[in-house]
Amino acid sequence: MTAAADGRVVTGEARLLVDGVLVDSAAGAMYPNLDPATEDTLGLVADGAVEDAHTAVTAARRAFEKGGWADDPEFRARCLRQLHRALSENSQLFRRIDTAEAGRPFAATAGSIDAYLPEIDWYAERAEQYPWEQPRGDSESHGARHRRSVHREPIGVTAAITTWNCGFFLNLTKMCAALAAGNTVVLKPAPETPWQATTLGRLIVERTEIPPGVVNIVTGTSPAVARELTTHRDVDLVTFTGSTDVGRKIMAQAAPTLKRLTLELGGKSAAIVMPDADLDFAVALVTRILCTNAGQTCAAATRLLLPKSRYAEGVEAATSALAAIRPGDPWDPATGQGPQISAAQHKRVLDYLEVGRAEGLRLTTGGKRPPHLGRGWFIEPTVFADVPPQSRLFREEIFGPVLVVTPYDDSAGRVDEAIRLANDSEYGLHASVFGTDIERATTVARQLRVGSVSVNGANFFGVDVPFGGYKQSGIGRERGVEGFEEFLETKTIAVPAPPSA
C-alpha cells in the first residue's frame, strides 16, 4: 500500500476482508482497476464471487449473534475512534486513490476525503449517547397498572452496496452508522472504485480492535455478488446508493425475505433562479458544483430554471461559465473537471448529447469529447438551452456535465411556473433556490417535493441532518439521527408496575 511522492502512482489493497482476514477471492480471480483519465490499469483487485459473499454473510451473522459487538456501545465507540485516527493518518493516500480510480481532480479530494473524517466521531457519540431504552410511562388496563418502555436495538447483518461517484464517503457513512448502531456489515463497493473500500479494510485489520466478522468487504464485477447479499436469508437490512433502476431490482430481490431497505437513488435536481436573484452568483455556484465531479453527483443541479425577464442573460452566463471550465488531467491543479468513471458511463453521456441534438435543442457550448484529449473518458461541459419539460434531457438523469436551461413565466414577479417545473419530475432528491428576498425564497423551498433544499448556496449537507429523497429518489434517510435510526429495530416491553408508594 504505497504511493509515489508526486501522487500519480498509487497502489491500493487488492484483497477482500472476510471474517477478520485479508484474503484472495475463493476462485482466485482478479480484475483490473482502471484509471478513467488514461484508461490504463492501475492494478489488480480480487474479483469476489457468490461464495465469498456467502462466507462474509455467515461471518457477519456469527459476529452479530455471538461476538458481543451488539451489546457494547462503549466498545463500538472506541473502535470507531481508532478507525478515525487510522484514516486521518492515511488521508493523503485515500485522496490519491480517489483521483487515481475515480478521476476526481486532486484539488477537490480534500472535500471528498478529509471533510468527512471528523464525522466518524459523531457516530461514536451516537453509540455512547443514544437513548437505547426510553421509558413511556405507566398505563392502566384490566384492573392493573403496567409500565412500558421502548428499546432500540441493532437490526443485525447489514449489506451495504455503494456506487462509485463518492465511494469513500458512501462506504464510511453506511459502515459507521451501521456499526455505531451495533450491526455487523458486509460492504460491497462499486467495481470501478474498489481500493477506496479494500484499503479501508486493511486499516480495520491493522489499526482497530473491530472483531473478526463485524466488517467484511467483498469486491467483485459480477452482479451475482450483490444479488447474494440482497437475497441471503441472514441479511437483515440492505442499504444501497445508486441508480433508481438498480434500486428497483434490489427491492424486488429483497421482497421475498422482507428485508429492511434504505435506498438513496437518482436525482434530477432543479435550481430556481428567482427574478430578484444575484444571477451571476447563482450560475457560478450551479456550474462549479456540476463539474467538480464531472456531473456525477446525484444532488447537483442539472436543470436551471430562469425567469424569462432575465433568460438571455442567464443562458449567456451559464454558457460562459461552463465553457471556461477545463477538463483534463485530474492531477493538474488547473483542471476543473475530470473524466467520466468508465467507458460505459462515457458512452451513456455521449448518447444523451445525441438525444439533445435529435430533439433540436439549442447547444450553446460543449457537446462532445474534448478534441485535445485523445485518451480517457472525458466530456466537455455542456449547456442545452430552451429545453422543454417533455424533453428526455429535462426528465432523465444523465449523470454527466450536462446542464439544461428552461425559462419560466415571471410576469408580475410570479414564480408558480418555476415551482411547477421543478416538481415536474419522477425524482425528488434536492433543489436550489436563489433570491434576494430570503423569506420568499424559503416559501418557495417549502413547496418543492424534494428531500433537501439549499437557499442561496447555504450548505444543507452535514452528518447531523438527514439526507434522502422523495418519490423515486429513494426510501429512508442517511445521516442525522433519522439516518442512524434506520439501522435500529424497535421493541416495546411492558411489565407490571410496582405498587404505588
Side-chain angles (χ1 to χ4, degrees):
M1 191 166 59
T2 60
D6 67 358
R8 291 174 180 260
V9 179
V10 183
T11 302
E13 175 58 54
R15 294 168 291 180
L16 316 176
L17 171 58
V18 179
D19 205 9
V21 181
L22 298 171
V23 297
D24 295 328
S25 166
M30 307 285 282
Y31 75 94
N33 189 14
L34 300 180
D35 182 341
T38 65
E39 306 178 41
D40 293 335
T41 296
L42 295 165
L44 299 179
V45 186
D47 198 354
V50 169
E51 180 182 350
D52 299 295
H54 178 79
T55 303
V57 171
T58 301
R61 172 57 59 189
R62 182 171 59 250
F64 179 75
E65 294 182 349
K66 300 180 180 179
W69 176 261
D71 303 320
D72 195 341
E74 289 77 19
F75 177 57
R76 300 199 298 265
R78 185 170 83 223
C79 290
L80 285 169
R81 292 191 175 103
Q82 291 168 351
L83 180 62
H84 182 189
R85 286 193 294 273
L87 290 173
S88 296
E89 292 169 6
N90 288 272
S91 66
Q92 285 295 310
L93 173 61
F94 281 95
R95 289 183 62 187
R96 290 169 177 150
I97 287 174
D98 194 20
T99 295
E101 68 179 6
R104 193 187 315 275
F106 185 75
T109 56
S112 63
I113 305 296
D114 293 343
Y116 297 113
L117 296 179
E119 297 185 353
I120 303 175
D121 284 345
W122 187 88
Y123 290 108
E125 291 170 2
R126 299 290 74 71
E128 293 172 324
Q129 301 174 10
Y130 187 78
W132 301 100
E133 180 177 345
Q134 305 165 20
R136 293 297 171 90
D138 294 354
S139 70
E140 204 164 315
S141 65
H142 301 91
R145 289 174 57 245
H146 314 275
R147 180 150 297 172
R148 292 90 44 83
S149 58
V150 173
H151 299 250
R152 304 306 302 271
E153 302 174 348
I155 290 176
V157 176
T158 295
I161 303 173
T162 59
T163 191
W164 38 261
N165 65 324
C166 300
F168 180 84
F169 158 72
L170 293 171
N171 297 339
L172 202 66
T173 295
K174 293 178 186 296
M175 186 182 72
C176 289
L179 294 179
N183 300 284
T184 56
V185 177
V186 180
L187 171 63
K188 166 62 175 69
E192 294 87 352
T193 52
W195 285 348
Q196 298 186 45
T198 55
T199 308
L200 174 63
R202 182 178 181 125
L203 290 180
I204 287 172
V205 171
E206 295 179 344
R207 299 288 303 277
T208 78
E209 297 175 75
I210 294 175
V214 169
V215 176
N216 305 270
I217 299 173
V218 180
T219 56
T221 57
S222 171
V225 176
R227 190 181 308 115
E228 176 70 7
L229 300 178
T230 59
T231 60
H232 200 295
R233 62 183 177 84
D234 281 334
V235 170
D236 301 290
L237 178 148
V238 177
T239 174
F240 168 74
T241 297
S243 72
T244 296
D245 285 345
V246 175
R248 293 188 187 102
K249 293 176 183 177
I250 287 175
M251 287 188 72
Q253 292 166 6
T257 50
L258 290 178
K259 298 186 190 306
R260 287 272 291 275
L261 293 173
T262 62
L263 304 174
E264 197 268 283
L265 306 176
K268 191 68 179 178
S269 300
I272 297 176
V273 178
M274 298 177 69
D276 67 337
D278 181 338
L279 190 145
D280 289 338
F281 169 77
V283 169
L285 185 62
V286 166
T287 53
R288 177 175 59 81
I289 293 174
L290 175 67
C291 291
T292 296
N293 198 23
Q296 300 168 138
T297 302
C298 55
T302 55
R303 294 184 294 154
L304 182 62
L305 306 180
L306 296 174
K308 287 184 178 178
S309 63
R310 307 184 68 185
Y311 185 68
E313 175 190 2
V315 171
E316 181 180 356
T319 301
S320 297
L322 283 177
I325 293 175
R326 172 188 166 188
D329 179 5
W331 298 103
D332 185 341
T335 293
Q337 177 186 296
Q340 307 310 120
I341 188 66
S342 66
Q345 183 63 21
H346 187 249
K347 182 180 184 303
R348 171 187 169 88
V349 178
L350 288 176
D351 287 347
Y352 269 109
L353 298 179
E354 290 305 312
V355 168
R357 292 185 177 92
E359 290 182 346
L361 305 179
R362 180 160 64 100
L363 178 66
T364 65
T365 190
K368 61 185 182 301
R369 169 193 278 273
H372 67 287
L373 295 171
R375 301 179 68 205
W377 298 305
F378 293 95
I379 299 285
E380 291 178 333
T382 298
V383 175
F384 281 104
D386 313 338
V387 180
Q390 64 269 25
S391 166
R392 286 183 59 191
L393 269 63
F394 185 92
R395 312 201 67 81
E396 298 178 14
E397 184 177 40
I398 299 171
F399 227 53
V402 181
L403 182 68
V404 301
V405 189
T406 300
Y408 69 86
D409 180 8
D410 65 319
S411 56
R414 297 165 51 208
V415 293
D416 52 301
E417 186 180 24
I419 295 169
R420 179 183 62 77
L421 288 168
N423 287 335
D424 185 13
S425 174
E426 67 182 41
Y427 300 109
L429 186 59
H430 180 65
S432 303
V433 180
F434 296 91
T436 302
D437 186 336
I438 299 297
E439 184 175 352
R440 189 182 185 209
T442 303
T443 298
V444 171
R446 291 193 181 111
Q447 297 177 70
L448 300 177
R449 297 278 297 162
V450 295
S452 57
V453 184
S454 174
V455 175
N456 287 345
N459 182 25
F460 69 97
F461 201 66
V463 68
D464 57 337
V465 292
F467 177 70
Y470 289 24
K471 299 184 279 187
Q472 294 188 44
S473 284
I475 296 174
R477 292 294 183 268
E478 292 189 315
R479 301 165 71 75
V481 173
E482 295 83 353
F484 175 73
E485 290 178 335
E486 297 278 1
F487 293 88
L488 299 176
E489 282 286 13
T490 303
K491 178 184 292 180
T492 299
I493 297 178
V495 301
S500 300

